[in-house]
Amino acid sequence: SILTPVSCGMRGYLLQILLSASEQAGLLTAGDVDDNLNFDFYVGYTGRIRQAVEKSEPNFVFPDLSDRILVKVEDTTGAHFPCAAVTAEAGDANTSLPAGTNGLLYLFPSFDGLDGTSLALTAVPPGGCSGE
């Protein structure tokens, strides 16, 4: 692609993208990454970014997300339990978080203030949330 400035009068310039002969309109040239599906990659990426930022901003605090726990909330038949209110307790600390409509919850004990040797989880039905 070639970016070419095109005059827009007093408003300045608009960048016009000109496709080269080898490119075609509609060709996907960018995308996204699901950090939860590619968690090891995400942890490596944040580690590299952390090192780079700490050199220039030594007081910047990165949360440690490497201790992620995937919680799957199910009913007694093994079906996912959508939107359950999940309470996590570790010692004197606790936090309440909602499960997704797929019954999944990602818990980050260090980030959520739940450091400790044991973790207790309880789930209760949602108020008015549907899994549909």
Side-chain angles (χ1 to χ4, degrees):
S1 311
I2 301 170
L3 295 177
T4 307
V6 176
S7 177
C8 292
M10 295 187 68
R11 294 181 181 233
Y13 289 91
L14 170 69
L15 289 179
Q16 181 180 18
I17 301 174
L18 301 175
L19 297 177
S20 67
S22 64
E23 296 173 327
Q24 55 184 331
L27 180 66
L28 180 63
T29 58
D32 62 11
V33 175
D34 185 328
D35 294 333
N36 286 310
L37 290 177
N38 302 290
F39 194 67
D40 291 336
F41 177 82
Y42 173 76
V43 170
Y45 168 77
T46 57
R48 291 187 302 277
I49 296 298
R50 175 183 291 133
Q51 290 174 355
V53 169
E54 286 175 345
K55 290 178 184 176
S56 61
E57 298 289 336
N59 294 327
F60 190 86
V61 178
F62 272 89
D64 180 11
L65 302 178
S66 63
D67 61 347
R68 178 186 77 166
I69 299 172
L70 173 60
V71 178
K72 185 176 181 183
V73 185
E74 298 178 334
D75 65 15
T76 55
T77 67
H80 73 271
F81 200 81
C83 305
V86 178
T87 300
E89 296 181 43
D92 293 336
N94 67 62
T95 188
S96 294
L97 302 162
T101 56
N102 58 1
L104 298 180
L105 168 69
Y106 296 99
L107 187 64
F108 299 88
S110 295
F111 181 77
D112 293 324
L114 299 170
D115 292 330
T117 56
S118 66
L119 183 64
L121 300 173
T122 52
V124 295
C129 183
S130 171
E132 299 178 352

